Amino acid sequence: MLNKEEKKNLVKKYGKSAADTGSAEVQVALLTKRIQDLTAHLKKNHGDATAKRSLMELVGKRRTLLAYIARNDHDAYEKLIASLGLRK
């Protein structure tokens, strides 16, 4: 679960300003953090079907946002996935 301080740090790092919570880069960073948290939860609780479904929804949203960023600004896309450690 994201607390206010973690969210604030992610917005500061990936946003264009400290109040920029709506840009696609910030949304991808926040989704990535939530995905990491849910993955850790599922390693302990294998049978949690609701968490599995939520994880798949979050991954789909992140994929859509990453595709949008890749279409509009490929350099920002490569920088973002490198800093988040998403792909090779």
Side-chain angles (χ1 to χ4, degrees), residues 55-69:
L55 178 64
M56 301 314 308
E57 288 177 357
L58 293 175
V59 169
K61 287 179 186 179
R62 183 177 70 180
R63 180 184 296 165
T64 304
L65 286 169
L66 284 171
Y68 170 78
I69 296 170

Side-chain angles (χ1 to χ4, degrees), residues 21-70:
T21 58
S23 70
E25 291 86 357
V26 173
Q27 290 181 38
V28 168
L30 293 173
L31 285 172
T32 300
K33 176 63 175 145
R34 287 180 59 198
I35 288 169
Q36 291 169 349
D37 292 345
L38 263 178
T39 303
H41 169 76
L42 284 170
K43 286 182 180 178
K44 296 177 194 169
N45 306 292
H46 298 290
D48 191 351
T50 305
K52 286 180 188 177
R53 184 175 190 281
S54 297
L55 178 64
M56 301 314 308
E57 288 177 357
L58 293 175
V59 169
K61 287 179 186 179
R62 183 177 70 180
R63 180 184 296 165
T64 304
L65 286 169
L66 284 171
Y68 170 78
I69 296 170

